[in-house]
Structure formats: C-alpha cells, structure tokens
Amino acid sequence: MTELRYVYAICEPLGAPLPAGLTGVAGDRPHMFPHLGLVAVVGHVPERDFAEQPLRAHLEDLDWLTETARAHERVIHALMALTTPLPLRLATVFHDDTGVRVMMEEQEAHFRDTLDRLRGHVEWGVKVYAEPDAEPAEGDGPPSRPASGRDYLRQRRRSVMAREDTWQRAERFADRLHTALSAHAERTRLHPPQNPALSSASGQNVLNAAYLVPRPASEEFMDVLDRTKTGESGIRIELTGPWAAYSFVDVVEGSGAEAAST
C-alpha cells in the first residue's frame, strides 16, 4: 500500500515527545519531522483515500469528513499541551518526505513569522444567535386559535414584530459583545454567519467571531463575556475553545505537483 504524508502542523522544536498512544488520521501515529530548525508533525495516510481524486470524493462524505476532522483536531489538541502549533488546514497531504521538506523550505519565512506572532496565544470562538421562536407571545401564554380573520392578522403581526425585536436586540448585543471582547484580544476575525441548514444549530447566527488571546489572559477574556451577558430572552451565546489559532493562519499552499492538499 502506497502511503502519503499528512501534515498536521508546523511547530518550533517541542523539547518533549508526542504523547504515547496518540493516533491521528487513518489511525496512524504522528511523528516529528525536523527540518530547518522547525518541526512538521506528520502522519502516514493511504493513497487510496488521500490522493487527489479519492480525497475530493471523500470531502463530500459528511461521516468521513467528521471522523477525519476529529482525528486531525486530536493531534492539534495534543500539540497545544506542548507548544503553540501553527495548524495546517485539514487534509494537507504530500506524496513523500521530499514534498514535506520542499514545502517547509518554500514557506520557512512565513512559518517563522507566524510562529512568532502566535506564540503563547490561543483562539476562542464566540457565536451569538437570535432565537425569536423561544420568546413567548406578548402578554399571554401559548398562542390561542384565532377566532376570526382579524384575530389571525393581529397574531401574525405580533409574531412578526416579536421576531424583528429579537433580531434587532441580538444584533445590538452582538455589537456590544464584539467591542468588549476585541478590547481583550490581540486580533479578531469575523467569519460569515453560519448557515442554519448546514450547522443544525437553532436560531439565526448574528455573530461568528474568533479572538486571538494570550493564553494567560483567557480567564479574563471569559470574565468579560460573562459580564456582558444580559440574560435577555431570545438571545443565545456560544463560546468554544481554547483552540489552536486556525483563524489567524494564512492558508499554506502546497508545492505544485508534490502536494494534494485541499
């Protein structure tokens, strides 16, 4: 079976071995690949799944993609206990060690600059959702059956106004929260709102942001979020992290014919 090289991250020398028993994508144990005073964390993956054509097909398979993403993140999370990794995007694959070596040589300056910028930092993700359906109708309990066409129109208008009010409150809250959190982050990145049909999350996403925070300041960052919460109905906040700084790493391109990265 032909094996390709799957690169999880670029790091400074770790000074410690990878955790015993750590497995990554395709069940393979990752290893350190030192070059130019940097370290690529690399695993072996089968060509039948990770060559360009089968990989494109697999990326349409949600179950396969979820399993691969979890294995990738498992390795990145383990690295975070040892160093500040520069995570590469999912399924960055090269044909052999030479391809990895060439990629590191071509990107050396970029890797060093980014590692300097990310050192000692983590990424936190914050999402705000408007959930107007969670808010009861004005002044009473469950909506009653309309007694007439006029009652139906009145209930309909009340529902539309409640949704609009919740949406506007959520947007104002998201602006305040983002301003407060940005003051405690070194960098921020606003992602497009999540598509509810794809994310399966309830409500309408009105803020989808990432914050680059010094690791020692993470507790203070979370305190700011807690203090800014209003407890208003119809607004849901989601905090995730700490993550490796995926949102603050420029995409690493492969080295032409040697790479099959997506």
Side-chain angles (χ1 to χ4, degrees):
M1 178 178 64
T2 302
E3 291 185 324
L4 305 177
R5 305 298 187 267
Y6 186 109
V7 185
Y8 296 90
I10 303 295
C11 307
E12 295 175 318
L14 273 61
L18 295 172
L22 176 64
T23 58
V25 175
D28 186 68
R29 175 172 169 73
H31 62 277
M32 290 184 274
F33 184 93
H35 188 50
L36 301 173
L38 299 171
V39 172
V41 179
V42 179
H44 296 91
V45 291
E47 186 173 15
R48 66 171 182 273
D49 290 322
F50 287 87
E52 186 172 359
Q53 291 302 321
L55 181 58
R56 290 187 187 281
H58 278 315
L59 293 178
E60 302 296 323
D61 181 341
L62 186 58
D63 290 338
W64 186 94
L65 191 59
T66 299
E67 181 181 352
T68 302
R70 285 175 176 168
H72 178 99
E73 181 56 32
R74 186 164 58 243
V75 174
I76 298 296
H77 190 73
L79 288 172
M80 289 178 64
L82 302 173
T83 186
T84 302
L86 188 165
L88 302 192
R89 61 184 176 179
L90 187 72
T92 297
V93 180
F94 295 84
H95 286 304
D96 52 26
D97 289 346
T98 299
V100 178
R101 192 175 295 110
V102 170
M103 177 270 291
M104 295 177 74
E105 292 169 356
E106 292 180 342
Q107 303 282 341
E108 180 186 2
H110 167 70
F111 290 152
R112 292 190 186 283
D113 290 345
T114 306
L115 286 168
D116 284 344
R117 177 164 51 83
L118 298 182
R119 188 177 298 113
H121 291 71
V122 294
E123 175 178 328
W124 290 94
V126 177
K127 297 184 178 71
V128 175
Y129 296 88
E131 294 188 311
D133 291 341
E135 193 169 45
E138 180 184 346
D140 47 31
S144 58
R145 185 182 181 83
S148 65
R150 179 175 295 180
D151 285 345
Y152 170 79
L153 292 175
R154 186 180 297 119
Q155 288 184 9
R156 178 80 172 173
R157 183 165 58 250
R158 185 184 301 165
S159 175
V160 170
M161 292 175 63
R163 285 175 175 274
E164 183 65 23
D165 175 69
T166 301
W167 176 265
Q168 292 180 1
R169 286 190 296 107
E171 285 197 314
R172 290 195 295 269
F173 170 76
D175 288 343
R176 290 198 306 274
L177 181 64
H178 180 61
T179 299
L181 295 178
S182 297
H184 290 77
E186 294 201 359
R187 293 193 178 202
T188 67
R189 179 151 295 180
L190 291 173
H191 298 298
Q194 285 188 321
N195 183 330
L198 298 177
S199 68
S200 71
S202 63
Q204 186 71 37
N205 185 208
V206 296
L207 176 68
N208 183 10
Y211 302 86
L212 185 67
V213 179
R215 184 184 287 271
S218 289
E219 187 171 345
E220 181 181 356
F221 180 84
M222 289 185 286
D223 286 345
V224 171
L225 187 145
D226 287 339
R227 290 198 300 270
T228 311
K229 286 180 179 176
T230 63
E232 293 185 59
S233 62
I235 299 176
R236 182 167 63 86
I237 306 161
E238 182 179 294
L239 170 71
T240 60
W243 305 105
Y246 285 100
S247 299
F248 303 94
V249 175
D250 294 334
V251 173
V252 173
E253 299 295 342
S255 54
E258 287 291 329
S261 59
T262 62

